[in-house]
Amino acid sequence: MSKVATRFAPSPTGPLHIGGVRTALFNWLYSKNQNGNFFLRIEDTDKERSKEEYRKQIINSLEWIGINFDGEEYVQSKKIDDHIKVAHELLKKGNAYKCYCSSEEIEEQKKRAKQKKIPYIYDRKWREKKETDAPKDIKPVIRFKSKIDGTSILKDLVQGDVEIENNTIEDFVILRNDGTPTYNLSAAVDDHQMNMSHIIRGDDHKINTFKQIQIYQAMEWEIPSFAHIPLIHTIDGKKLSKRDKASTLDDYSKIGIMPDALRNYLLRLGWSYKDKEIFTIEESIKYFNLEGIGKSPSKLDMSRILSMNEHYIKNMNENDLFDQLIEYCNKFKKEIKTDKEDKIRKSLSFLKNKAKTLEDIFINGQYIIADEVIFNQDDIKLIDERAKKVINDFKVQFEKIDQPSREILEPVINGLIKSNNTNFKGVGQPLRIVLTGSKFGPGIYDIILSLGKKEVQKRLDTKIA
RNA sequence: GGUCCCUUCGUCUAUCGGUUAGGACACAUGGUUUUCAUCCAUGAAAGAGGGGUUCGAUUCCCCUAGGGACCGCCA
C-alpha cells in the first residue's frame, strides 16, 4: 500500500472557522498516526472572493493550534492549466461534451422546475447532439458525461456504504464558458496529482465525491479512500458557517482560550477513544483513528470549551502558562510592564485557581497589573470605622516587618483579630479591599506577598471613603 | 420537492446481543476554606415511537416521526 497522504483544502474566501479547523485536525492526525504526510492546498480559484488576508489567516490559524503541513503549500490557481488539460482529455476520450445552453436557458429551466416543485437536473440536451448544431454566438461549457444507469456505492470510511442512483447525478460542468475549471474537476485533478491516499472532509462534500470518483474512473486513476465526517452544528442545530459568531479561532483566542485546550476540545467533538477526555498532542496522534469518528453531527458547547481550557490552565506547566498569558495580554489586552512580570509569575499559582481563561487571569490579576487600585464602589461601602481601625492597626504593625512572609504575617493578623475582637473576615476583608479594590480575590497572604512590602505600604496609605 | 445521512442523560460521548446503560461538561446538594474560587463527596439526568428477528435487544432489520446536508458556469 502506498504511503498515507491527506490534505486540508480550504478556500480563502473567509476566515477559517472551527469546523474547518477540526477537519484539518482530523486529516493531520490521521496522516501522523499512519506515518504519512499532511498537505495544505489553498483552493483560490474563485478570484472574486479569494483574498490574500484570508489565506494568511488560515495558515496562521493552523499554526496557532499546532497543525503543521508537510512540504510546500499547494496553490490551486497555479495548477489551472493541468485541470484544463484534463478537461480536454476527457472531451477527447468521450467522457465529456460541450454544452451550448446559455446560462439564461439554464436559469429558466431551474425556475420552472422550482415552480413545479420537481427537482432540477440538467436535461443532458447536448450530450448526444452534434457539434454542427451548435449555435455560433454561444461559448460552450464542458460537461462531464455522468453515468446514467445503475447505482454507485461509496465505501466511506466513516459512513459505511453509501449507495446512490447514478441518474440523480447530473452532467456537471467541468469547464466554464470562460475556459476555467470548476471545483469538482480541479479537486479531483489536484488530489490525484498530489497522490492523496485518503480524503477526509465534511459531510457536505458527499455528492461531490460521487462526481469526483467518476472523473477518476474516466481518467483511469487510482481512487483514494474517502471519509466524510459529520458537520459541526451551532446550538440551534444548523451547519456552522463563517458568519456565525464565535466560530473563528480568533473569537476564542481573544477571550483567552489556549490552542491546546481548543485542540483537545475539537478532537473530542465527534471523535472518542474509550472514556479518555484529555489528550496531549502525542497521545492524540497515537490514538487517532477513523473508527472513532461518530456518524451524527455534534453541537458546539461553550461551557465545555471553557472547562477544557480551565483544565489546561490548572494542569499545565506554570512557565508555559506564564508565556501564554504574557503573549495573550500583549496581543489582546495591554502590554504587561516588565516590572510587573515577576509579580505575576509568582502569583500564577493562586491566580489560576479562579480562572477559566487567560482573560480571567488578566482580570483577577488586575490588582497587580494596574498601577492604580480600581475600587469597587459597593465594596468600599464595607469599609466602616471599625474596618479603618483594622487597616490602620495593620499598617502600624506592617511597617515593622522587613521581609514579609506568611510565617511572620500570620501572628500579626491573628493578633489583630484578637485586639479588634473580631474574626478573620473582620481583618481579611478590609485589607483585601484596600489592597485590591475588591472584596473578592486571592487569600490575604497571597495578596500581600505578591504585591511586596513597598506596594502594600503605598496602598495602605490610600484614603478610601 | 428530490437524493443522501443522522437519532443514548441538557451537551460531548462509552456500549461492538446479556451492563444496576458507564464517563466527562453543565446542573443540584453537602463538606473543606479568611471572601470569591479551587478541591472533595453525593445526587438528579438518556436509548424518538411502532413493528419484527432472537431465549434475550440501546445494539440487527423494516416503518413512522424528528433533525441535518446537498441539489451553482462557489469551493
Coordinates of all heavy atoms in Angstrom, one line a residue, chain A residues 113-114 116-120, chain B residues 1-3 69-71:
Chain A
A113 N -38.6 24.4 -12.9 CA -38.5 23.2 -12.0 C -39.0 23.5 -10.6 O -39.7 22.8 -10.0 CB -37.1 22.6 -12.0
K114 N -38.5 24.7 -10.2 CA -38.9 25.1 -8.8 C -40.4 25.4 -8.7 O -41.0 25.0 -7.7 CB -38.1 26.4 -8.5 CG -37.8 26.5 -7.0 CD -36.9 27.7 -6.8 CE -36.4 27.7 -5.3 NZ -35.6 28.9 -5.0
K116 N -42.7 24.0 -10.4 CA -43.4 22.8 -10.5 C -43.1 21.9 -9.3 O -43.6 20.7 -9.2 CB -43.1 22.0 -11.8 CG -43.8 22.6 -13.0 CD -43.8 21.6 -14.1 CE -43.5 22.2 -15.5 NZ -43.1 21.3 -16.5
K117 N -42.2 22.4 -8.5 CA -41.7 21.6 -7.3 C -41.1 20.2 -7.7 O -41.3 19.2 -7.0 CB -42.8 21.4 -6.3 CG -43.2 22.7 -5.6 CD -43.9 22.5 -4.3 CE -44.0 23.8 -3.5 NZ -44.6 23.6 -2.2
I118 N -40.5 20.2 -8.9 CA -39.8 19.0 -9.2 C -38.3 19.3 -9.2 O -37.9 20.4 -9.4 CB -40.2 18.4 -10.6 CG1 -40.0 19.6 -11.7 CG2 -41.6 17.9 -10.6 CD1 -40.1 19.1 -13.1
P119 N -37.5 18.3 -8.9 CA -36.1 18.6 -8.7 C -35.5 18.9 -10.1 O -35.8 18.3 -11.1 CB -35.5 17.2 -8.2 CG -36.5 16.2 -8.6 CD -37.8 16.9 -8.6
Y120 N -34.6 20.0 -10.1 CA -34.0 20.3 -11.3 C -32.7 19.5 -11.5 O -32.0 19.2 -10.6 CB -33.5 21.8 -11.3 CG -32.5 22.1 -12.4 CD1 -33.0 22.2 -13.7 CD2 -31.2 22.2 -12.2 CE1 -32.2 22.5 -14.8 CE2 -30.3 22.4 -13.2 CZ -30.8 22.5 -14.5 OH -29.9 22.7 -15.6
Chain B
rG1 P -41.9 18.4 1.1 OP1 -42.7 17.3 1.4 OP2 -40.7 18.8 1.8 O5' -41.5 18.3 -0.5 C5' -42.4 17.9 -1.5 C4' -41.7 17.8 -2.8 O4' -41.1 19.1 -3.1 C3' -40.5 16.9 -2.8 O3' -41.0 15.6 -3.1 C2' -39.7 17.4 -3.9 O2' -40.2 17.1 -5.2 C1' -39.8 18.9 -3.6 N9 -38.8 19.5 -2.7 C8 -39.0 20.0 -1.5 N7 -38.0 20.5 -0.9 C5 -36.9 20.2 -1.8 C6 -35.6 20.5 -1.8 O6 -34.9 21.0 -0.9 N1 -34.9 20.1 -2.9 C2 -35.5 19.5 -4.0 N2 -34.7 19.2 -5.0 N3 -36.8 19.2 -4.1 C4 -37.5 19.6 -3.0
rG2 P -40.2 14.3 -2.5 OP1 -41.1 13.1 -2.8 OP2 -39.9 14.6 -1.1 O5' -38.9 14.2 -3.4 C5' -39.0 13.7 -4.7 C4' -37.6 13.7 -5.3 O4' -37.1 15.1 -5.3 C3' -36.5 12.9 -4.5 O3' -36.5 11.6 -4.9 C2' -35.2 13.6 -4.9 O2' -34.8 13.3 -6.2 C1' -35.7 15.1 -5.0 N9 -35.5 15.8 -3.7 C8 -36.5 16.2 -2.8 N7 -36.0 16.8 -1.8 C5 -34.6 16.9 -2.0 C6 -33.6 17.5 -1.3 O6 -33.7 18.1 -0.2 N1 -32.4 17.4 -1.9 C2 -32.2 16.8 -3.1 N2 -30.9 16.7 -3.6 N3 -33.1 16.2 -3.8 C4 -34.3 16.3 -3.2
rU3 P -36.2 10.5 -3.8 OP1 -36.5 9.1 -4.3 OP2 -36.8 10.9 -2.5 O5' -34.6 10.6 -3.6 C5' -33.7 10.3 -4.7 C4' -32.3 10.7 -4.4 O4' -32.3 12.1 -4.2 C3' -31.8 10.1 -3.1 O3' -31.3 8.8 -3.2 C2' -30.7 11.1 -2.8 O2' -29.5 10.8 -3.6 C1' -31.3 12.4 -3.2 N1 -32.0 13.1 -2.1 C2 -31.2 13.9 -1.3 O2 -29.9 14.0 -1.4 N3 -31.8 14.5 -0.3 C4 -33.2 14.5 0.0 O4 -33.7 15.2 0.9 C5 -33.9 13.7 -1.0 C6 -33.3 13.1 -2.0
rA69 P -28.2 22.0 7.4 OP1 -27.3 23.1 7.8 OP2 -29.5 22.2 6.9 O5' -27.4 21.0 6.4 C5' -26.0 20.7 6.6 C4' -25.6 19.8 5.6 O4' -26.3 18.5 5.7 C3' -25.8 20.2 4.1 O3' -24.7 21.1 3.7 C2' -25.8 18.9 3.4 O2' -24.5 18.4 3.3 C1' -26.6 18.0 4.4 N9 -28.0 18.0 4.1 C8 -29.0 18.7 4.7 N7 -30.2 18.5 4.3 C5 -30.0 17.6 3.3 C6 -30.9 16.9 2.4 N6 -32.2 17.1 2.4 N1 -30.3 16.1 1.5 C2 -29.0 15.9 1.5 N3 -28.1 16.4 2.2 C4 -28.6 17.3 3.1
rC70 P -25.1 22.2 2.6 OP1 -23.8 23.0 2.5 OP2 -26.4 22.8 2.9 O5' -25.3 21.4 1.3 C5' -24.2 20.7 0.7 C4' -24.7 19.8 -0.4 O4' -25.6 18.8 0.2 C3' -25.4 20.5 -1.5 O3' -24.6 21.1 -2.4 C2' -26.2 19.3 -2.1 O2' -25.4 18.5 -2.9 C1' -26.6 18.5 -0.8 N1 -27.9 18.9 -0.3 C2 -29.1 18.4 -1.0 O2 -28.9 17.6 -1.9 N3 -30.3 18.7 -0.5 C4 -30.4 19.6 0.5 N4 -31.7 19.9 0.9 C5 -29.3 20.2 1.1 C6 -28.1 19.8 0.7
rC71 P -25.1 22.4 -3.2 OP1 -23.9 22.7 -4.1 OP2 -25.6 23.3 -2.3 O5' -26.2 21.8 -4.1 C5' -25.9 21.0 -5.2 C4' -27.2 20.5 -5.8 O4' -28.0 19.8 -4.8 C3' -28.1 21.5 -6.4 O3' -27.7 21.9 -7.7 C2' -29.5 20.8 -6.4 O2' -29.6 19.9 -7.5 C1' -29.4 20.0 -5.1 N1 -30.1 20.6 -4.0 C2 -31.5 20.4 -3.9 O2 -32.0 19.6 -4.7 N3 -32.2 21.0 -2.9 C4 -31.6 21.8 -2.1 N4 -32.3 22.4 -1.1 C5 -30.1 22.1 -2.2 C6 -29.5 21.5 -3.2

